[in-house]
Amino acid sequence: MSRSNFVYTSHPARVIFGFGTTRQLPEEVARLGASRALILSTPPQKGQAEQLAALLGGAAAGVFAGAVMHTPVHVSEQAVALASQKRVDAIVAIGGGSTTGLAKAIALRTGLPQVVLPTTYAGSEMTPILGETNEGIKKTQTTPKVLPQVVIYDVEQTMSLPITLSGTSGMNAIAHAVEALYARDSNPVISVLALEAIAALARALPKIAQDPGDRDARFDALHGAWLCGTCLGAVGMALHHKLCHTLGGSFDLPHAETHTIVLPHALAYNAPSIPEVIASLETIFGEEPALALQKLARSVGAPISLAEIGMPADGLDRATEIALTNSYWNPRPLEAGPIRQLMQRAFDGATPWVEGRKTA
């Protein structure tokens, strides 16, 4: 471990983890002093939101089942208007990153407390980060105002998560931890959490792909996702997240799938500048990490090319240009040519290419 000075920032949150923990929701809402909670979900998860409303009884003010990917500003404004109309004093969100993002957007505008029940492995519930999309551009901000007050992790809520979505949301979580290892403000505390999280998910995701009812694997995956989210919430981001936000916000690509596809290529791009990180990841994967991550994606049935998920070939130049707009930190200097090549390989589903190392 490095003996250099470091800064570690922790974020306050009450976390409840285990099997069947959803039943503690009424108690947690009452702990916040709330009596009129608005329950959020995506349209397909409206039934789950209504079940929470029934569990809360008179403490439920209604359901807003309009959460969508990339947190469009106009949807957030609709939800805020409904919260105001119903005189809401708390937000309850059930779902993945889309619903959590909407809860954060409401909290930013209203100051309302949040209780989040994740049903995927997105991890965003543990971060002070909000990404919102307006007129085709996704902008990200970091503020403690969007941190949930309570996160209820119930493994039972993930048992019916489809195999493919389990794989892609798990890969999305791994991306948070991988980038945390080489963030500008990385530190020994987060590095330990990140390596444990990556190892847990790398073990669990192939087991879930083989048997989605494997309760031990589901437990490990959700535990890993929690740690990944904690990593993302404690340190900054670099090239990988910038590329994914560009592709998602500007080309409306699915969030988790985009992270899954880009991760091996972004890691390969940075590999020459982060040898210690690569060595640590090799202890988990036993081979070149960029290759191993793409193999892991294949093993869980996830897409490995941007073309598969709807990226237009004629958008690669524009995506590269957007990704290079506004300077941000990255361990390897940002170069237009190599990044455009990275994008092409991700578009084609080609093997990640690590400068100076054999990856094919």
Side-chain angles (χ1 to χ4, degrees):
M1 183 183 80
S2 171
R3 295 298 191 272
S4 59
N5 294 356
F6 65 89
V7 174
Y8 166 61
T9 301
S10 63
H11 298 294
R14 179 174 168 85
V15 175
I16 299 164
F17 192 101
F19 290 91
T21 52
T22 298
R23 61 178 174 266
Q24 294 176 236
L25 176 63
E27 176 186 342
E28 293 305 315
V29 169
R31 276 188 78 257
L32 294 173
S35 59
R36 294 188 58 79
L38 179 65
I39 298 97
L40 310 177
S41 75
T42 60
Q45 291 181 295
K46 184 178 180 181
Q48 289 169 276
E50 291 172 340
Q51 289 174 3
L52 295 187
L55 180 63
L56 285 172
V63 170
F64 181 86
V68 294
M69 286 192 307
H70 308 306
T71 319
V73 168
H74 73 275
V75 174
S76 300
E77 291 172 346
Q78 290 173 13
V80 167
L82 180 63
S84 175
Q85 175 190 333
K86 291 183 174 292
R87 293 176 288 111
V88 165
D89 57 9
I91 299 295
V92 173
I94 183 165
S98 298
T99 308
T100 302
L102 177 58
K104 289 179 172 182
I106 296 171
L108 180 67
R109 291 163 171 79
T110 65
L112 290 170
Q114 308 167 67
V115 180
V116 177
L117 293 89
T119 61
T120 72
Y121 306 131
S124 59
E125 64 279 352
M126 295 306 299
T127 78
I129 303 166
L130 170 63
E132 293 187 280
T133 303
N134 191 26
E135 297 181 352
I137 300 296
K138 189 169 187 177
K139 295 183 178 180
T140 301
Q141 61 178 302
T142 299
T143 170
K145 294 178 181 179
V146 304
L147 277 169
Q149 279 66 35
V150 182
V151 179
I152 299 177
Y153 287 105
D154 187 345
V155 182
E156 301 288 359
Q157 293 283 7
T158 68
M159 294 302 297
S160 61
L161 188 65
I163 290 175
T164 300
L165 185 52
S166 297
T168 54
S169 69
M171 292 295 298
N172 178 25
I174 289 174
H176 303 331
V178 167
E179 193 148 79
L181 287 169
Y182 59 77
R184 176 168 50 182
D185 46 359
S186 62
N187 61 76
V189 176
I190 289 303
S191 293
V192 169
L193 294 182
L195 292 171
E196 169 60 27
I198 295 164
L201 282 159
R203 286 193 311 268
L205 295 181
K207 292 179 181 178
I208 291 170
Q210 293 297 315
D211 176 13
D214 186 328
R215 294 173 69 81
D216 289 339
R218 289 290 189 181
F219 185 98
D220 285 346
L222 191 59
H223 181 249
W226 169 21
L227 297 182
C228 288
T230 301
C231 292
L232 179 64
V235 298
M237 296 178 285
L239 176 64
H240 170 80
H241 280 83
K242 177 67 173 182
L243 291 177
C244 291
H245 288 167
T246 296
L247 293 167
S250 299
F251 298 91
D252 200 31
L253 300 185
H255 182 84
E257 289 84 347
T258 302
H259 278 271
T260 300
I261 294 163
V262 171
L263 175 60
H265 300 281
L267 181 60
Y269 178 92
N270 282 323
S273 299
I274 50 171
E276 291 184 2
V277 170
I278 297 302
S280 295
L281 290 172
E282 284 175 343
T283 65
I284 294 173
F285 294 113
E287 62 175 314
E288 172 61 52
L291 281 181
L293 286 166
Q294 192 176 68
K295 289 179 181 177
L296 180 60
R298 289 182 187 273
S299 75
V300 300
I304 62 164
S305 79
L306 293 175
E308 290 179 68
I309 61 171
M311 177 67 188
D314 61 4
L316 294 175
D317 287 338
R318 179 171 170 242
T320 301
E321 180 182 349
I322 296 172
L324 290 168
T325 302
N326 299 326
S327 61
Y328 53 94
W329 185 88
N330 192 65
R332 176 181 170 182
L334 302 175
E335 303 173 67
I339 290 177
R340 177 61 176 81
Q341 292 170 11
L342 178 166
M343 298 284 279
Q344 188 67 53
R345 295 183 79 83
F347 179 83
D348 295 334
T351 302
W353 183 76
V354 178
E355 184 178 316
R357 303 187 73 171
K358 185 177 181 181
T359 55

